[in-house]
Amino acid sequence: MKLHTAFLTFLLLNFLCGCTAILKDESLVSTAASEKSYSQVKKIKTIPDFRDNNDVSIEDLENNDHEDDLADADNENIEILPELNDALEFCDISQKFWEKGDSDKALNALDHAYSLLLKADTEESPDLTQQKEDLRFTISKRILEIYASRNTSIKGRHNEIPVILNDYVKKEIKNLSKGEFFKNAYKRAGKYRPAILEKLKKAGLPPELSWLPLIESGFTTNALSSARALGLWQFIPSTGYKFGLNRDMYVDERLDPDKSTTAAVSYLKELHRIFGDWATVLAAYNCGEGRVLKTIRSQNVNYLDNFWDLYEKLPRETANYVPRFFATLHMVNNPEKYGLNTIKIDSPLEYETVIVKKQLSLQDIARAINVDPDKLKELNPELRKKIIPKDSYSLKIPPGKDDMLTAKLDTIPVVSQPKPPKSSSQANYAYYRVKKGDSLSKIAKRYNTSVKTILSSNKMHKRHYIVAGNILKIPQTGKANYTGSKKSNHRYTTSTHIVKNGDSLWNIAQKYGTTTKIIHKFNKLPNNKLSIGQVLKIPGKGIKSSKKYLRTYKVKNGDVPIEIAKRHNMSLERLLKVNRLNQHSKIFPGQQLHVE
């Protein structure tokens, strides 16, 4: 059954409408999503292994009888849908066909998986509905990847990056030639490029990619962008986690040059498998493959023959990013022309590794082995607080110091997590997601602070632009600027509220026009847990007249947010706000929403 010619347009539109223009952290679900979907449903059927038979047809697969297998299924209380199981099997078969280079049969298998998915009735089970949605997303993603690979007319190998010198690249060469940034980054590159080149060679990737950190971070391990991307390769937390970079109170592996390089190599290989063209791969590395795929689908050109037809459709930062990389390659390949031949390159970092099983500070370790604390920090940049975690940790130290450290380990005092100062003037932080139309001055006014303070807290410069969706860290000193409020002669009173089923500090605060922090402090609550019947004192004028009691609504099949909002006399914006959703959030049957 060949369905893809009939529903591909619908499928692509349906899939792409659910994909926002995401940065690298917000990458589309790929292999991990597939594994999640595969593990969520217990497989009870088997399909004969046709994967080594190139003549297998979808009809052969359809005619396979599974009744005996169904009879042998265990009797555990597990929700099982045959359609989902069969769809998963066809996804697996499609993957095998694709790996063998047979994209037609791979698409046929996915088409059949999708048709089975549409037949699955999951209305009675929110869990199965979510599983169905996850699998739909996985199938859609794979269809996009296969069609993208079929449109690739450049039969490039992993080790081929074209030499490009057009007007866009020349403009970036001119920009990079100004100031000292490029020269300083070129000097620092000597510390990290040898190790990066070794990993690229092992993975079969072009050595030119070793210059990517120059435009990403200037070869600075602690570089932090306004989008919260961190490290040499500028991973945001979600993308870093996807490729194995862990993050906790003591360690952020995005800061480690070796570990982040391993993750970057994996990411670049995955992107090359999807797009096949290095210029497009670089664009996807910068702004996420979802945004690039969405842009590609709006084009009527063979995009991989000419990336520059795609160029002006991409976000400005990404549009500059790709020619900036080619400009970097041109400059490092012509060092005399750009004055790079006179720069003394930094030497590669040399170190030994010692396993430490005590929580020690780098300061104390440096003192014990007579080395500069800054040197230890440079070798171990992933240690966020300059403290080794409690568990076993591979500490990097200068060569020749391992015996000394081993001998003195027992004499170095164990430390605990440093406590923040108790000064009342110390600022806490609020986190604000930038919206369309925002400016730094408007945000500063809203939070009763200055543009300079926001820039400093986010390690930004005046030349940086804020982008809708980015999160800014705003220092708070306990004062707030409530726009639109005026002084009033009304005397504030204290109200009481008896906690009911479904109440939380957040919706109580919304109901009385106050904040959870004020309620928490006024009632000296030890934590955020409430119990039914508990009496809370609420400072203020009482219930705001514009607020109504919130109750819960269970989402039914076919519900959409706008209809739920209308049904309960709410605006869509209000519904999304009280449920902490956005316009791209998905709801599913069985989910509980707060309504008025």
Side-chain angles (χ1 to χ4, degrees):
M1 184 185 296
K2 296 187 177 181
L3 301 176
H4 63 269
T5 54
F7 75 85
L8 178 63
T9 302
F10 165 77
L11 177 59
L12 293 176
L13 288 174
N14 185 31
F15 172 70
L16 292 173
C17 286
C19 300
T20 58
I22 48 179
L23 297 173
K24 297 180 280 193
D25 65 18
E26 315 294 343
S27 298
L28 291 174
V29 176
S30 58
T31 306
S34 303
E35 292 174 353
K36 176 183 176 185
S37 297
Y38 277 52
S39 64
Q40 285 179 326
V41 181
K42 182 177 178 68
K43 295 184 180 181
I44 61 168
K45 298 188 177 184
T46 56
I47 291 182
D49 194 353
F50 296 112
R51 297 161 196 163
D52 294 328
N53 180 1
N54 290 331
D55 296 326
V56 65
S57 67
I58 297 301
E59 287 73 18
D60 294 328
L61 300 177
E62 288 177 305
N63 294 331
N64 185 50
D65 188 4
H66 301 299
E67 296 301 323
D68 294 337
D69 297 316
L70 281 171
D72 295 334
D74 56 42
N75 294 320
E76 297 181 31
N77 293 322
I78 299 175
E79 291 185 292
I80 299 172
L81 282 184
E83 294 88 354
L84 292 184
N85 287 329
D86 287 351
L88 287 168
E89 292 286 359
F90 277 103
C91 283
D92 188 43
I93 291 170
S94 170
Q95 182 67 20
K96 296 296 182 182
F97 280 139
W98 190 15
E99 290 173 357
K100 290 182 178 181
D102 195 335
S103 60
D104 287 330
K105 289 182 179 177
L107 282 171
N108 285 342
L110 287 176
D111 290 342
H112 197 71
Y114 198 87
S115 67
L116 288 169
L117 200 63
L118 295 178
K119 297 176 183 177
D121 184 4
T122 62
E123 291 184 8
E124 301 301 323
S125 172
D127 289 339
L128 287 178
T129 299
Q130 186 61 50
Q131 293 168 16
K132 179 179 178 181
E133 178 62 19
D134 290 341
L135 187 54
R136 183 201 68 79
F137 190 87
T138 300
I139 293 172
S140 302
K141 174 68 163 54
R142 287 189 177 182
I143 289 177
L144 281 176
E145 290 174 344
I146 292 174
Y147 267 87
S149 66
R150 294 178 77 182
N151 287 336
T152 304
S153 60
I154 296 178
K155 303 299 181 182
R157 298 192 301 272
H158 272 22
N159 61 353
E160 289 182 347
I161 290 186
V163 177
I164 297 175
L165 188 61
N166 55 25
D167 290 340
Y168 302 119
V169 177
K170 291 177 180 177
K171 180 181 177 181
E172 289 303 319
I173 291 175
K174 184 177 179 180
N175 291 335
L176 291 175
S177 299
K178 299 175 182 177
E180 298 298 316
F181 167 80
F182 191 91
K183 292 181 179 179
N184 291 335
Y186 183 79
K187 179 178 183 295
R188 286 190 295 269
K191 293 182 181 180
Y192 310 106
R193 278 195 71 242
I196 294 173
L197 283 167
E198 185 177 339
K199 288 183 180 290
L200 291 172
K201 182 179 180 180
K202 186 177 180 180
L205 296 182
E208 292 89 347
L209 293 173
S210 64
W211 291 108
L212 200 54
L214 190 147
I215 61 172
E216 282 284 351
S217 63
F219 279 105
T220 304
T221 56
N222 62 348
L224 177 66
S225 76
S226 58
R228 317 305 296 172
L230 186 63
L232 280 185
W233 295 91
Q234 290 291 280
F235 279 101
I236 61 170
S238 57
T239 308
Y241 184 77
K242 175 183 175 184
F243 290 96
L245 298 178
N246 296 317
R247 180 169 168 260
D248 59 30
M249 181 186 301
Y250 296 100
V251 173
D252 191 331
E253 293 182 343
R254 294 178 296 164
L255 292 164
D256 185 276
D258 183 67
K259 295 174 183 176
S260 63
T261 297
T262 300
V265 167
S266 298
Y267 191 21
L268 289 166
K269 286 184 71 174
E270 178 179 292
L271 292 174
H272 190 269
R273 181 174 62 85
I274 294 174
F275 297 105
D277 167 70
W278 282 112
T280 314
V281 165
L282 293 171
Y285 186 88
N286 181 252
C287 70
E289 62 264 40
R291 177 60 183 267
V292 174
L293 282 169
K294 185 175 181 180
T295 305
I296 286 170
R297 295 302 165 187
S298 68
Q299 306 301 297
N300 294 316
V301 295
N302 191 352
Y303 63 92
L304 291 181
D305 273 341
N306 189 357
F307 163 80
W308 305 101
D309 290 328
L310 189 69
Y311 172 83
E312 294 183 354
K313 301 288 185 179
L314 294 169
R316 181 171 59 178
E317 179 187 348
T318 303
N320 294 333
Y321 180 89
V322 177
R324 190 177 302 134
F325 175 73
F326 290 123
T328 298
L329 294 185
H330 181 79
M331 293 175 71
V332 299
N333 289 333
N334 298 275
E336 295 86 1
K337 183 175 180 180
Y338 298 100
L340 304 178
N341 58 318
T342 60
I343 298 175
K344 184 178 179 181
I345 306 298
D346 289 344
S347 301
L349 295 176
E350 296 181 353
Y351 56 86
E352 297 172 334
T353 301
V354 176
I355 304 299
V356 180
K357 297 183 179 181
K358 298 169 61 178
Q359 187 164 303
L360 309 176
S361 74
L362 293 185
Q363 185 79 25
D364 292 338
I365 295 173
R367 188 182 303 113
I369 61 175
N370 299 319
V371 300
D372 186 345
D374 291 338
K375 182 64 176 178
L376 271 188
K377 177 60 178 174
E378 182 183 33
L379 293 176
N380 301 275
E382 69 175 4
L383 295 176
R384 303 172 65 183
K385 301 179 182 295
K386 300 181 183 180
I387 294 176
I388 296 176
K390 296 178 181 179
D391 300 326
S392 179
Y393 181 77
S394 297
L395 180 70
K396 297 171 185 171
I397 59 175
K401 297 289 184 178
D402 56 337
D403 291 338
M404 184 183 297
L405 178 57
T406 302
K408 294 187 176 183
L409 267 179
D410 291 336
T411 66
I412 302 175
V414 175
V415 298
S416 57
Q417 180 187 353
K419 296 181 179 179
K422 295 183 179 180
S423 170
S424 60
S425 62
Q426 183 187 14
N428 296 316
Y429 288 97
Y431 293 89
Y432 176 75
R433 186 181 294 277
V434 179
K435 300 180 178 64
K436 187 176 180 180
D438 275 343
S439 66
L440 284 176
S441 58
K442 286 172 64 176
I443 297 171
K445 183 177 180 181
R446 175 175 180 175
Y447 284 91
N448 196 32
T449 187
S450 65
V451 171
K452 185 177 180 180
T453 301
I454 296 177
L455 291 173
S456 176
S457 299
N458 293 274
K459 297 183 179 180
M460 298 167 60
H461 302 286
K462 287 185 178 181
R463 59 185 176 85
H464 286 168
Y465 294 93
I466 56 173
V467 180
N470 286 357
I471 296 177
L472 296 178
K473 185 167 67 172
I474 316 292
Q476 300 289 285
T477 57
K479 298 179 180 179
N481 186 20
Y482 298 97
T483 56
S485 63
K486 296 181 179 180
K487 291 184 178 180
S488 173
N489 293 325
H490 293 294
R491 181 175 297 176
Y492 284 86
T493 59
T494 300
S495 305
T496 58
H497 176 86
I498 300 176
V499 177
K500 302 177 182 65
N501 186 30
D503 274 350
S504 68
L505 282 178
W506 187 84
N507 60 32
I508 293 173
Q510 290 288 303
K511 174 181 170 183
Y512 287 91
T514 184
T515 66
T516 57
K517 187 175 181 180
I518 290 175
I519 297 176
H520 198 284
K521 184 176 180 180
F522 200 78
N523 291 272
K524 298 181 180 180
L525 299 176
N527 51 49
N528 291 330
K529 293 182 179 179
L530 301 176
S531 55
I532 296 176
Q534 181 178 357
V535 178
L536 297 178
K537 294 180 180 179
I538 315 294
K541 298 178 182 178
I543 300 176
K544 294 178 69 174
S545 60
S546 61
K547 302 288 182 182
K548 298 181 180 180
Y549 286 94
L550 293 176
R551 60 187 182 86
T552 56
Y553 171 79
K554 192 172 184 179
V555 177
K556 301 179 178 62
N557 187 43
D559 275 345
V560 292
I562 184 64
E563 293 297 332
I564 296 174
K566 288 180 179 178
R567 202 177 305 153
H568 295 88
N569 298 318
M570 302 172 68
S571 66
L572 176 60
E573 182 181 5
R574 168 72 172 156
L575 177 71
L576 296 177
K577 182 178 180 181
V578 298
N579 290 282
R580 298 185 179 181
L581 302 174
N582 58 50
Q583 292 181 346
H584 304 290
S585 298
K586 295 179 181 178
I587 60 174
F588 52 87
Q591 181 179 356
Q592 290 191 338
L593 299 179
H594 291 296
V595 296
E596 292 178 346

